[in-house]
């Protein structure tokens, strides 16, 4: 068992919490284009985000036993469980991003530390510093093509891929978990900026924002 000092970053349920986009909804609104919309936008807020670092062989065994998923074997790869609620993304040769439903991150971290024992590794809970913006609809790829510097054409960005790139002027992780869905993992401090940029860029397609 690791001797690192850990604690659950989730507040008591009696204390109200707001998503990173709460301010944005109040000040920029949440447009609904109706049936004419070619784009849907929603925030997948308050998820659990863990950064894992260490040797792939040691971490892979621990993650497989605890979470039931293998670490992605290829650079820029993304793997998910059958529900799509839990995922692991390759970030660099010794770094992975794990996203799980909110509330699961601290028990998961604890179990991983118990399993890894004295191995050389690092686990960081970054749940409070990131959020996920999900894009879907026929115009999602077109919107990304005029907003990011990375080539998001299907021939270069198939399902199951994720990259760290620049979205507008913000560093962002872009993921493609399915044919019809794209995800942007953004820092909390850039969430409002990215949201307002998306509303402006999506205006020509008509956008439905799901709260």
């Amino acid at each position: 068992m690791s001797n690192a000092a850990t604690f659950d970053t989730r507040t008591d349920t009696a204390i109200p919490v707001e998503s990173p986009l709460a301010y944005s909804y109040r000040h920029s609104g949440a447009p609904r284009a109706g049936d004419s919309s070619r784009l849907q936008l929603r925030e997948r807020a308050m998820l659990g985000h863990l950064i894992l670092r260490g040797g792939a062989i040691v971490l892979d065994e621990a993650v497989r036993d605890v979470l039931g998923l293998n670490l992605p074997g290829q650079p820029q790869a993304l793997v998910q469980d059958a529900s799509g609620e839990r995922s692991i993304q390759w970030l660099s040769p010794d770094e992975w991003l794990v996203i799980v439903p909110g509330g699961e991150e601290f028990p998961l971290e604890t179990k991983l530390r118990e399993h890894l024992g004295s191995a050389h590794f690092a686990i960081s809970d970054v749940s409070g510093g990131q959020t996920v913006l999900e894009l879907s609809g026929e115009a999602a790829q077109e919107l990304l093509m005029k907003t990011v510097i990375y080539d998001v054409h299907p021939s270069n960005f198939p399902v199951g891929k994720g990259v760290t790139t620049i979205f507008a002027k913000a560093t962002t992780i872009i993921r493609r978990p399915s044919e019809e869905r794209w995800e942007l993992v953004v820092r909390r401090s850039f969430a409002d900026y990215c949201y307002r940029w998306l509303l402006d860029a999506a205006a020509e397609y008509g956008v439905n924002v799901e709260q």
Side-chain angles (χ1 to χ4, degrees), residues 33-176:
D35 295 339
S36 62
S37 171
R38 297 175 57 208
L39 187 72
Q40 290 75 49
L41 168 62
R42 71 164 179 146
E43 180 188 20
R44 298 184 61 206
M46 316 308 257
L47 300 179
H49 297 235
L50 297 177
I51 296 291
L52 307 184
R53 302 204 68 166
I57 296 176
V58 173
L59 284 178
D60 182 61
E61 180 181 349
V63 170
R64 184 172 61 249
D65 290 347
V66 174
L67 193 58
L69 291 172
N70 288 97
L71 290 182
Q74 297 294 325
Q76 302 180 332
L78 169 71
V79 298
Q80 305 175 93
D81 67 2
S83 69
E85 295 296 315
R86 297 162 189 83
S87 65
I88 307 175
Q89 180 180 341
W90 185 98
L91 296 180
S92 71
D94 68 346
E95 184 179 14
W96 294 265
L97 170 64
V98 179
I99 297 182
V100 295
E104 290 188 9
E105 66 275 13
F106 184 63
L108 173 60
E109 178 184 356
T110 301
K111 292 177 181 177
L112 286 172
R113 289 185 180 278
E114 291 174 348
H115 195 289
L116 288 163
S118 60
H120 183 67
F121 69 94
I123 303 176
S124 301
D125 185 344
V126 295
S127 306
Q130 299 186 158
T131 193
V132 178
L133 306 181
E134 180 185 277
L135 297 172
S136 59
E138 63 181 68
Q141 180 190 324
E142 187 175 337
L143 181 147
L144 290 173
M145 288 173 67
K146 66 176 184 176
T147 306
V148 304
I149 62 174
Y150 195 85
D151 182 4
V152 296
H153 189 276
S155 63
N156 186 62
F157 211 124
V159 173
K161 184 172 182 176
V163 301
T164 300
T165 185
I166 302 298
F167 176 92
K169 295 183 179 180
T171 300
T172 307
I173 297 172
I174 298 182
R175 301 142 52 98
R176 192 179 184 193

Side-chain angles (χ1 to χ4, degrees), residues 1-15:
M1 172 66 181
S2 168
N3 60 1
T6 61
F7 62 95
D8 191 347
T9 59
R10 296 274 165 176
T11 61
D12 186 278
T13 54
I15 301 175

